[in-house]
Amino acid sequence: MQKKLMELKNLAEKKIQTAKDLQALKEIRVALLGKKGELTSVLRGMGKLSPKERPQIGALANKIRSQLEAWIEAKREELEEAKFVQQLATEKIDVTLPGAPITVGGVHPLQAVIEEVEDIFIGMGFEVAEGPEVETDKFNFEMMNFLKDHPARDMQDSFYITPEILLRTHTSGVQAREMLAKQGEVPLRIICPGKVYRRDQDDMTHSHQFMQIEGLAVDHNVTMSELKGVLLTFIHKVFGEETEVRLRPSFFPFVEPGMEVDIYDPQKGWLEILGAGMVHPRVLEKAGYNPERYTGFAFGLGVERIAMLKYGIDDIRHFYNNDLRFLRQFQSV
Ligand code: FA5
């Protein structure tokens, strides 16, 4: 038995030393030390030994096992090293190859307009507010003085989620939210940019999803002339000092008086960009402001319309098609 073990050891050493790669070494390990391996099968014969021989042979077998494991480990390290050296030699990097281009995105033109408008209004003392796109009927309509069966509700065909919840049709609901949050304190001056949704047919100037920026100022003695001054300052900053502006009377249930504002485009004529007016006393009252003491103005402008006029874009759908040929033109905006 002792002889058998020594033979096995000598043979195994040769096999290990001549293993040509890691896979071959792995197979040798299984053949020697695995459950059905050579060493294991020699040890199986131990039952036939005398009680005297058994501990001696057992100790020898353990020693051989450790020796084989050490040789295998040493060989494994050697083979791995050789593999690495070979990889370094064959996988040369060609530093003269041109690099993969990194594509840099740009600010979307609608975002660029929003940021420009925000800057202008922050400069006039307004703060930027936010409101939810999924809005309640209460804030979108009721608080804005649209009664349940008010015919004005037909003006804005809406995406309802439940009878009480809808995708907001305008950013005006934020007016009531901000007034309630401010709990009757003044001055209140906010603008709120965001997406709005309507069941409008998509065409060159209308989209079922578009962006608005709402504006609201509430204080003692806020006047129509202040509203006019704020809007003219904004329009002249965005479109240039020479831009002609027209204020037209119009109706919105949440303002009194109400108006629409057009600007003149030499190619297209007069174009409506926003609605505005003095906050209706009932809207102030519902949101916790005494209309005898406070007045306010509000406006809501269409971001796409502003961007179209500013950059000479003829079709609103370009903003939403994600065509890189269109978007790349604004990379430096
Ligand atoms: C409103 O939504 C009012 N909430 C605005 C307002 C706020 C009035 C505060 C008074 C006081 P209107 O439906 O007109 O109003 O929309 C405002 C602007 O959004 C329009 O001037 C236009 O620029 C833009 N707009 C309206 N419908 C669309 C559409 N389908 N696609 C793109 N832009 C639109």
Side-chain angles (χ1 to χ4, degrees):
M1 187 104 188
Q2 193 170 353
K3 199 173 146 222
K4 253 192 184 169
L5 281 171
M6 291 314 287
E7 271 172 22
L8 187 144
K9 181 184 160 193
N10 293 337
L11 210 76
E13 184 180 8
K14 260 186 222 130
K15 278 190 196 163
I16 293 168
Q17 294 315 336
T18 52
K20 62 178 194 320
D21 56 28
L22 288 163
Q23 180 56 31
L25 185 68
K26 202 170 156 193
E27 282 160 16
I28 291 168
R29 178 181 225 289
V30 174
L32 291 171
L33 306 173
K35 261 192 195 160
K36 292 180 185 159
E38 290 171 44
L39 184 66
T40 324
S41 64
V42 173
L43 292 180
R44 245 182 232 129
M46 274 185 47
K48 292 179 197 137
L49 296 175
S50 69
K52 202 179 136 216
E53 278 174 311
R54 225 175 277 161
Q56 285 169 3
I57 297 293
L60 178 66
N62 276 338
K63 227 171 118 191
I64 290 177
R65 166 177 278 276
S66 307
Q67 179 65 74
L68 296 187
E69 275 170 355
W71 281 333
I72 290 171
E73 182 54 22
K75 188 69 184 173
R76 193 187 60 76
E77 278 175 19
E78 184 192 316
L79 287 171
E80 290 219 331
E81 171 82 17
K83 190 177 160 193
F84 183 59
V85 169
Q86 199 206 355
Q87 257 178 4
L88 283 182
T90 51
E91 291 176 12
K92 282 214 178 95
I93 296 169
D94 182 353
V95 290
T96 63
L97 278 177
I102 298 168
T103 37
V104 181
V107 176
H108 192 281
L110 295 179
Q111 184 59 26
V113 166
I114 288 173
E115 284 171 16
E116 184 181 353
V117 175
E118 280 179 358
D119 280 351
I120 294 170
F121 280 100
I122 287 169
M124 292 193 275
F126 287 72
E127 284 172 33
V128 178
E130 271 182 29
E133 283 175 35
V134 178
E135 184 57 286
T136 54
D137 183 86
K138 176 180 159 194
F139 282 105
N140 197 78
F141 290 127
E142 249 178 84
M143 296 288 286
M144 302 316 291
N145 198 31
F146 292 81
L147 299 176
K148 270 276 178 221
D149 300 312
H150 197 293
R153 277 197 179 180
D154 297 340
M155 278 166 47
Q156 305 190 19
D157 237 0
S158 320
F159 290 106
Y160 273 92
I161 293 165
T162 71
E164 294 305 322
I165 299 173
L166 71 157
L167 297 180
R168 66 178 172 193
T169 58
H170 55 179
T171 43
S172 295
V174 174
Q175 291 184 29
R177 287 185 174 277
E178 287 296 311
M179 282 192 263
L180 286 176
K182 194 86 174 172
Q183 298 188 326
E185 278 187 28
V186 288
L188 171 57
R189 280 188 157 67
I190 53 111
I191 57 161
C192 170
K195 287 196 194 102
V196 302
Y197 305 82
R198 291 183 193 174
R199 285 190 186 277
D200 280 349
Q201 280 295 325
D202 289 359
D203 61 23
M204 282 174 80
T205 51
H206 293 85
S207 172
H208 60 282
Q209 177 210 296
F210 58 102
M211 300 194 83
Q212 288 188 336
I213 300 179
E214 191 76 16
L216 171 71
V218 182
D219 205 341
H220 298 283
N221 303 320
V222 171
T223 60
M224 188 83 169
S225 61
E226 189 186 341
L227 169 61
K228 188 178 165 189
V230 163
L231 292 178
L232 287 182
T233 305
F234 150 68
I235 291 169
H236 287 151
K237 282 204 168 154
V238 174
F239 296 104
E241 293 295 327
E242 305 304 315
T243 312
E244 275 187 85
V245 182
R246 185 170 74 177
L247 311 182
R248 263 186 302 113
S250 184
F251 173 77
F252 300 95
F254 37 94
V255 287
E256 183 56 40
M259 63 182 178
E260 279 176 321
V261 177
D262 306 330
I263 65 170
Y264 190 74
D265 181 279
Q267 263 101 53
K268 298 177 189 147
W270 289 103
L271 293 163
E272 175 209 319
I273 56 164
L274 62 88
M278 298 305 291
V279 180
H280 196 290
R282 225 171 286 143
V283 172
L284 286 171
E285 201 165 17
K286 277 174 190 270
Y289 283 80
N290 181 350
E292 303 290 330
R293 294 181 61 196
Y294 302 110
T295 50
F297 68 68
F299 58 87
L301 57 93
V303 177
E304 284 80 357
R305 300 269 168 90
I306 306 265
M308 287 168 82
L309 285 164
K310 192 171 160 69
Y311 301 124
I313 296 163
D314 57 357
D315 193 325
I316 195 169
R317 290 167 289 202
H318 285 311
F319 293 120
Y320 294 105
N321 285 342
N322 288 332
D323 184 338
L324 288 178
R325 289 168 304 175
F326 170 75
L327 294 171
R328 283 206 181 105
Q329 298 175 53
F330 299 94
Q331 270 185 345
S332 58
V333 166

